[in-house]
C-alpha cells in the first residue's frame, strides 16, 4: 500500500511539473485586439452616478473579449450626493462627476478617466453607457423632466456622432433613456413593461419604459440576462438593474456580457 501511494505521489508531481506556470486567456469569443471602445461614466454609485456593478461588469467583458477601452465622464458637478446607506441625498456636499468616476480607473495613461468633452467618435469603434441613476440625474434631466428631458451637451453630441458614423452604441439599464431622446426610431429593451414581483426579483422602473416609448422608440421585452440588438441602428441594450434582485447578480453579469459581445461583433464589420 505504501509503495502504491509513493508511486501515485511521484506520478502526480510529474504531471504537475509539466503544467505551465500560468495560463494566458485570450477571451472566450475571439481576440479582436484592435477594437477600441469608449465607456461613459456619470459618477460612482448607483444612486447618484454609474452603478458600480454595471461599470465593472462592462470593463470585465471588454477585457475578456480582447477589447481596448477608454473611460470618459463629464467634468462637471453632479446633481447631488447620495448617502447610499440611508438611500437619500446628503446635505451640503458637492462632487465632480469626472473625479467620482475616476474611482473606476486603475493605472496610468489611457486607463485614467478622461474628460467627455475630449471624446472624438472618429477615434473609437463603439461607445457604451453603463447604467445607474447618474443617467437620469447627471447625464440628463430625466429625473425632473421625464420624456421631455434634456441631455448633457457632450452626451448628446457623442450619441449623435456615433450614430451618424454607423458605430455601435451599447446601453445598460437606464441608459436607453439617453439614446431614445436624441436618436429617432431606435429599438431598445429596458426589461419588462410592467412590474412582476417574484421570489427572484421585480421590475420597479417600468415608468421609464413608457417614457422611452413616448419618445418614439420601440420597446422589446427581455430578461435581465439578455440583450436586444437593433441591427439597423447598431444599438444594443440590456435591462441590467432595471430588474432589482437581492442575490442573482450573475444574471446582470450575463446580460452585460451579451451586450458587449454584440457591440464588439458589430464594431468589426
Amino acid at each position: 500500500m505504501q509503495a502504491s501511494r509513493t508511486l501515485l505521489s511521484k506520478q502526480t508531481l510529474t504531471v504537475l511539473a509539466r503544467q505551465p506556470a500560468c495560463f494566458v486567456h485570450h477571451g472566450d469569443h475571439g481576440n479582436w485586439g484592435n477594437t477600441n471602445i469608449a465607456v461613459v461614466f456619470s459618477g460612482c454609485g448607483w444612486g447618484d452616478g454609474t452603478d458600480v456593478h454595471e461599470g465593472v461588469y462592462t470593463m470585465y467583458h471588454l477585457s475578456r473579449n480582447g477589447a481596448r477601452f477608454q473611460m470618459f465622464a463629464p467634468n462637471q458637478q453632479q446633481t447631488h450626493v447620495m448617502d447610499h446607506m440611508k438611500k437619500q441625498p446628503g446635505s451640503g456636499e458637492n462632487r465632480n462627476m469626472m473625479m467620482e468616476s475616476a474611482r473606476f480607473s486603475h493605472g496610468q495613461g489611457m486607463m485614467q478617466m478622461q474628460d467627455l468633452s475630449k471624446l472624438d467618435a472618429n477615434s473609437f469603434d463603439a461607445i457604451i453607457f453603463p447604467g445607474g441613476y447618474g443617467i437620469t440625474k447627471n447625464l440628463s434631466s430625466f429625473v425632473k423632466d421625464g420624456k421631455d428631458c434634456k441631455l448633457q451637451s457632450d452626451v448628446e453630441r457623442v450619441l449623435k456622432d456615433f450614430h451618424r458614423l454607423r458605430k455601435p452604441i451599447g446601453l445598460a439599464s437606464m441608459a436607453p433613456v439617453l439614446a431614445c431622446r436624441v436618436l429617432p426610431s431606435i429599438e431598445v429593451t429596458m426589461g419588462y413593461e410592467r412590474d412582476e414581483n417574484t421570489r427572484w426579483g421585480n421590475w420597479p422602473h417600468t415608468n421609464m419604459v413608457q417614457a422611452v416609448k413616448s419618445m418614439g422608440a420601440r420597446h422589446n421585452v427581455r430578461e435581465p440576462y439578455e440583450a436586444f440588438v437593433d441591427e439597423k441602428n447598431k444599438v444594443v441594450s440590456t435591462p441590467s438593474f432595471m430588474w432589482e434582485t437581492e442575490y442573482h447578480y450573475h444574471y446582470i453579469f450575463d446580460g452585460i456580457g451579451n451586450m458587449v459581445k454584440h457591440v464588439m461583433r458589430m464594431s468589426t464589420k
Side-chain angles (χ1 to χ4, degrees), residues 13-266:
L13 289 173
T14 300
V15 170
L16 291 174
R18 290 200 297 264
Q19 302 305 311
C22 64
F23 296 92
V24 179
H25 198 292
H26 293 293
D28 290 329
H29 305 279
N31 185 8
W32 285 267
N34 294 321
T35 307
N36 195 18
I37 312 292
V39 185
V40 180
F41 294 83
S42 60
C44 183
W46 68 268
D48 56 10
T50 294
D51 183 275
V52 173
H53 298 281
E54 295 187 32
V56 172
Y57 293 169
T58 298
M59 292 188 288
Y60 171 90
H61 284 292
L62 287 169
S63 174
R64 171 64 77 185
N65 287 284
R68 291 178 293 131
F69 59 90
Q70 190 164 340
M71 298 175 282
F72 293 88
N75 187 12
Q76 296 176 0
Q77 295 298 106
Q78 60 189 55
T79 300
H80 58 226
V81 178
M82 286 285 288
D83 181 331
H84 283 77
M85 289 291 292
K86 296 180 179 177
K87 296 181 174 58
Q88 63 186 33
S91 59
E93 186 176 4
N94 295 312
R95 295 188 185 182
N96 178 280
M97 274 187 271
M98 187 174 164
M99 292 177 65
E100 287 298 289
S101 298
R103 295 173 184 272
F104 285 96
S105 62
H106 195 283
Q108 303 296 320
M110 299 295 286
M111 288 305 296
Q112 291 180 315
M113 190 63 60
Q114 306 292 318
D115 189 335
L116 184 61
S117 66
K118 298 178 181 178
L119 173 53
D120 180 2
N122 292 292
S123 300
F124 292 86
D125 300 301
I127 189 170
I128 293 176
F129 289 80
Y133 276 99
I135 294 290
T136 66
K137 297 177 179 180
N138 302 332
L139 302 190
S140 75
S141 65
F142 183 88
V143 74
K144 295 186 300 182
D145 303 322
K147 65 181 181 63
D148 299 316
C149 64
K150 291 181 172 57
L151 271 55
Q152 192 271 352
S153 58
D154 286 309
V155 171
E156 180 170 352
R157 173 182 61 83
V158 297
L159 280 169
K160 289 180 176 178
D161 285 350
F162 275 85
H163 187 253
R164 175 176 52 82
L165 294 171
R166 300 283 301 156
K167 294 185 176 183
I169 298 170
L171 307 164
S173 186
M174 301 177 181
V177 163
L178 304 175
C180 293
R181 185 70 181 98
V182 296
L183 303 181
S185 304
I186 63 173
E187 294 191 50
V188 297
T189 186
M190 297 180 79
Y192 283 24
E193 297 191 358
R194 65 176 186 272
D195 193 6
E196 295 186 12
N197 290 287
T198 69
R199 66 191 181 96
W200 304 108
N202 64 296
W203 299 87
H205 309 296
T206 53
N207 63 309
M208 292 188 187
V209 175
Q210 303 309 315
V212 299
K213 290 169 72 174
S214 69
M215 293 175 186
R218 179 177 177 180
H219 184 262
N220 298 269
V221 173
R222 289 293 185 275
E223 298 292 344
Y225 51 83
E226 295 180 302
F228 179 80
V229 184
D230 180 346
E231 295 282 356
K232 179 181 177 181
N233 290 291
K234 291 195 170 185
V235 174
V236 188
S237 50
T238 185
S240 299
F241 282 109
M242 290 292 284
W243 182 61
E244 289 194 356
T245 179
E246 292 291 333
Y247 306 109
H248 299 88
Y249 285 17
H250 60 288
Y251 288 131
I252 313 299
F253 179 87
D254 292 344
I256 290 178
N258 284 322
M259 179 265 286
V260 166
K261 284 183 284 185
H262 282 294
V263 165
M264 293 188 65
R265 171 182 62 81
M266 290 193 291

